[in-house]
Amino acid sequence: MNLAELIDNQFYEFALIIFLAVAVGAVGRVLRQPLIVSFIAVGIVVGPSVLNLLNSEREVGLLAEMGIAILLFVVGLKLDVNLIKSTGKVAMLTGLGQVLFTSLFGFLIGILLGFEWLVAVYIAIALTFSSTIIIVKLLSDKKEINQLHGQIALGFLIVQDIVVVIVMIVLSALGAESERPVGMELLYVFGKGLGMLAVVVLLMKYVIPKLTNMLADSQELLVLFSIGWAILLAALGDYLGFSKEVGAFLAGISLASTQYREVVSGRLTSIRDFLLLFFFLDLGSQLDLGAMGAQIVPSLIFSVFVLVGNPVIVLVIMGIMGYHKRTSFKAGLTVAQISEFSLILANMGLSIGHIEEDTLGLITLVGLVTITLSTYMVMFSDQLFDLLSPLLSVFEKKKPDKPAELEEDDKKIDVLIFGLGSYGSSVAKALKEEGLHYIGADINPAVVNKWAGEDLEAVYCDVEDPDLDEVLPLTQSSNIISTVPDVNANIRLLRLLNHAGYKGRVALTARSADDAAILQDAGVKYILEPFKDSALQVADMFRGKVKKDEKKAAHEAAEQDKDEPKR
């Protein structure tokens, strides 16, 4: 059997492609390159532009779509509803603001470069939408998807996914015969979306809890149901005119309130990562390098616009809304690339005669450049922020003054608490019960406002702000507790406190044994490990109960021996 015959066999073809992905990924890891870039490179190599080894496009595409569904399902499953409530407004305004900014200025740049108005419209819209799948994967790998900037980014990416549906309906109606006017088509899709949402809400309330309880006897069956539910709603969302991402995300939300969310998400992580390999292979194989040559200069112009302009508009909007420059910057980096939807949109425009092959090549090249570079930008966002931080202050509101009640130098504060999430709030309540005076600090203005509304003392600030001592009364506090779970943020806080000459006790949070070791190496004496501490507390509690039961059993046995007649 020769090489050509081997490749024609789908099983051998998949074996070769997966092995090639492993090899290139391993080389990429040695060179400290993101896996996403390695997998897209493999897709380009096995695709029609280079070796043309990929004959099973439909099968790879199917596995890619299943990976997308499970990825967004897991995100919805882990969604922090309280955080979404506090970030919904900023996600909506940022998402819509970025779409309007990019589409308007992208269109103007296209006109200035000599493109026809309809072609410029397609280019502008293609530049507008960012890749939900790539960003969610990157943030999940960095364990930042549940942090403030991650939840805000997820929110406006979902907004983008909804907007792209509307845009594709409008563009497909231009120059094409349709049974309904564009306005009626939009209302029709909107009505179907509301109907789908209503059905899912009813299932969440009356069916899903009972069904999951019934299936929970077999974890395999529970996981299989979860995969089927994710793919079913993804397919339903696609059928009703929405994206698969929206349907799968809704499926995850519908199971998020069940007690089995952690078990299901843990079991699906490996399946998700394997199937997403095919998404990146599929994406790479669709990049037609042959159509890019004549569009290099305009492609580079548009790429710079996406890489710089999109993050800037997010910085502006979030800065106006009062968010710290770090949060705004890291959220802004998530829109510094175009989406797989952009390629779908370009192919649709080509099929109905709105654009030519060279425009498709331009959009493809912009996608290749921005996806590759933005991957590095997100992966190394902390280093980028440290480098650009002095320039980003212009996008931030003036630093808040110290609260009036803290201006007195003799005002004693027992504890400063950084991070007012669920763990931080629990710590604060425990301190209050002990009669200690504390001040809370958080980077989320919505959380700070909520505390202020409950007459609790809280200050808006970032634990990594170099001017921390200007905002907080460090000299008035003898103890500092950080419940922030990010070990890098805690290390930076420690350095800032040392630089400010802070002499009190510092307790920092570690979410794993590795993080605890890092903090210990940095000289931290007091390390809070919520999961470990909770486990030890449970062990202590049950050890005491078991010993008590043993004493009781021994006592009862002794009493029984006394009561038995002597032989």
Side-chain angles (χ1 to χ4, degrees):
M1 185 179 290
N2 57 37
L3 180 60
E5 291 174 333
L6 281 173
I7 294 173
D8 285 339
N9 185 301
Q10 286 186 339
F11 187 81
Y12 298 150
E13 177 189 347
F14 270 71
L16 176 63
I17 291 173
I18 292 173
F19 179 78
L20 186 60
V22 172
V24 174
V27 172
R29 292 291 289 178
V30 171
L31 298 176
R32 302 181 65 83
Q33 304 303 306
L35 279 177
I36 287 178
V37 174
S38 300
F39 292 158
I40 292 175
V42 173
I44 295 173
V45 170
V46 302
S49 297
V50 185
L51 298 180
N52 197 24
L53 299 178
L54 185 62
N55 298 319
S56 307
E57 292 92 348
R58 289 185 61 184
E59 289 78 6
V60 170
L62 176 61
L63 292 172
E65 290 177 345
M66 292 177 67
I68 292 170
I70 293 178
L71 173 69
L72 271 298
F73 172 78
V74 171
V75 172
L77 197 63
K78 293 183 174 182
L79 197 66
D80 188 334
V81 177
N82 292 325
L83 192 54
I84 284 294
K85 287 179 181 178
S86 68
T87 59
K89 180 180 178 182
V90 65
M92 178 69 72
L93 292 178
T94 305
L96 294 178
Q98 183 265 317
V99 166
L100 291 173
F101 168 84
T102 307
S103 56
L104 175 61
F105 282 88
F107 175 77
L108 293 176
I109 293 172
I111 293 296
L112 291 174
L113 290 175
F115 292 98
E116 296 181 1
W117 75 269
L118 186 55
V119 175
V121 167
Y122 269 89
I123 294 173
I125 294 173
L127 302 180
T128 297
F129 302 107
S130 306
S131 177
T132 303
I133 294 90
I134 291 176
I135 294 305
V136 169
K137 179 71 171 87
L138 286 170
L139 293 178
S140 298
D141 289 346
K142 291 188 69 181
K143 295 181 174 56
E144 293 182 357
I145 191 67
N146 290 321
Q147 294 184 16
L148 178 59
H149 69 274
Q151 292 290 288
I152 292 173
L154 176 62
F156 58 62
L157 288 171
I158 294 296
V159 170
Q160 285 187 4
D161 284 347
I162 295 172
V163 172
V164 77
V165 174
I166 299 172
V167 169
M168 291 183 74
I169 291 172
V170 174
L171 286 178
S172 61
L174 290 175
E177 294 184 2
S178 176
E179 297 179 1
R180 305 183 187 88
V182 176
M184 290 299 297
E185 185 69 27
L186 291 174
L187 287 175
Y188 182 59
V189 172
F190 181 70
K192 289 189 292 185
L194 287 179
M196 176 181 175
L197 183 61
V199 170
V200 171
V201 169
L202 290 175
L203 291 173
M204 285 174 62
K205 187 172 183 180
Y206 298 108
V207 178
I208 289 177
K210 297 178 181 178
L211 185 59
T212 52
N213 287 334
M214 183 179 70
L215 297 176
D217 290 338
S218 169
Q219 286 195 8
E220 290 80 3
L221 197 56
L222 181 63
V223 171
L224 183 60
F225 162 73
S226 301
I227 294 173
W229 181 239
I231 295 174
L232 176 64
L233 279 200
L236 182 61
D238 186 61
Y239 177 76
L240 294 177
F242 295 94
S243 65
K244 298 179 183 69
E245 288 89 336
V246 172
F249 184 67
L250 188 59
I253 293 176
S254 69
L255 293 182
S257 59
T258 68
Q259 58 184 313
Y260 310 109
R261 54 184 286 183
E262 296 300 333
V263 172
V264 172
S265 63
R267 288 291 189 96
L268 291 183
T269 300
S270 298
I271 299 174
R272 174 202 69 187
D273 291 342
F274 174 70
L275 291 176
L276 281 178
L277 162 66
F278 296 98
F279 167 76
F280 298 117
L281 292 175
D282 187 49
L283 180 61
S285 67
Q286 292 179 27
L287 298 176
D288 185 2
L289 302 183
M292 299 180 185
Q295 300 293 337
I296 291 179
V297 174
S299 295
L300 292 178
I301 293 173
F302 284 120
S303 295
V304 172
F305 170 66
V306 171
L307 290 166
V308 177
N310 282 358
V312 166
I313 188 60
V314 172
L315 275 163
V316 170
I317 295 173
M318 292 184 64
I320 291 173
M321 297 187 71
Y323 284 85
H324 191 273
K325 60 184 178 181
R326 177 181 292 274
T327 304
S328 304
F329 177 75
K330 296 183 79 169
L333 293 182
T334 64
V335 293
Q337 87 288 126
I338 68 172
S339 168
E340 62 282 354
F341 275 127
S342 303
L343 303 179
I344 295 172
L345 179 71
N347 279 295
M348 184 190 78
L350 182 66
S351 65
I352 59 182
H354 287 170
I355 62 175
E356 304 294 335
E357 285 278 356
D358 59 344
T359 306
L360 175 60
L362 182 150
I363 294 172
T364 301
L365 184 54
V366 172
L368 181 60
V369 171
T370 58
I371 288 173
T372 302
L373 293 182
S374 67
T375 298
Y376 289 101
M377 292 164 66
V378 174
M379 289 294 292
F380 300 102
S381 57
D382 290 316
Q383 293 88 334
L384 269 177
F385 177 81
D386 291 340
L387 181 66
L388 300 174
S389 180
L391 303 176
L392 300 177
S393 298
V394 68
F395 299 108
E396 189 176 41
K397 282 187 174 181
K398 181 180 179 294
K399 294 183 185 296
D401 297 325
K402 291 181 184 179
E405 64 272 18
L406 303 181
E407 288 297 329
E408 303 173 21
D409 292 336
D410 58 347
K411 178 89 171 183
K412 183 178 178 295
I413 299 167
D414 296 310
V415 185
L416 280 175
I417 307 173
F418 289 94
L420 304 179
S422 56
Y423 183 43
S425 297
S426 298
V427 170
K429 289 177 182 177
L431 294 174
K432 187 175 182 179
E433 289 176 359
E434 295 294 328
L436 299 177
H437 179 212
Y438 64 87
I439 297 290
D442 200 277
I443 197 173
N444 189 345
V447 172
V448 174
N449 291 336
K450 179 183 177 182
W451 272 52
E454 297 174 1
D455 292 328
L456 300 173
E457 295 183 46
V459 179
Y460 167 67
C461 74
D462 183 6
V463 297
E464 302 175 61
D465 190 343
D467 300 322
L468 199 64
D469 55 337
E470 296 181 8
V471 180
L472 291 171
L474 299 182
T475 57
Q476 298 166 234
S477 174
S478 55
N479 300 280
I480 288 179
I481 297 175
S482 171
T483 63
V484 177
D486 185 357
V487 66
N488 294 319
N490 282 325
I491 290 293
R492 289 191 179 93
L493 172 62
L494 183 65
R495 290 172 182 166
L496 288 172
L497 293 175
N498 290 336
H499 181 72
Y502 181 74
K503 302 299 183 183
R505 299 183 193 87
V506 178
L508 305 180
T509 298
R511 60 185 171 189
S512 67
D514 291 339
D515 289 350
I518 292 172
L519 294 178
Q520 191 172 18
D521 291 341
V524 180
K525 293 182 179 179
Y526 305 96
I527 300 175
L528 307 179
E529 298 180 77
F531 297 110
K532 180 179 177 181
D533 295 342
S534 177
L536 291 174
Q537 187 177 6
V538 170
D540 287 341
M541 178 178 68
F542 279 91
R543 183 171 62 244
K545 290 184 179 297
V546 168
K547 287 183 176 181
K548 185 177 180 181
D549 291 342
E550 289 174 349
K551 288 181 179 180
K552 182 179 179 182
H555 177 72
E556 290 177 349
E559 290 296 323
Q560 187 175 1
D561 289 341
K562 289 180 181 179
D563 294 339
E564 289 182 359
K566 293 183 180 180
R567 294 178 181 178

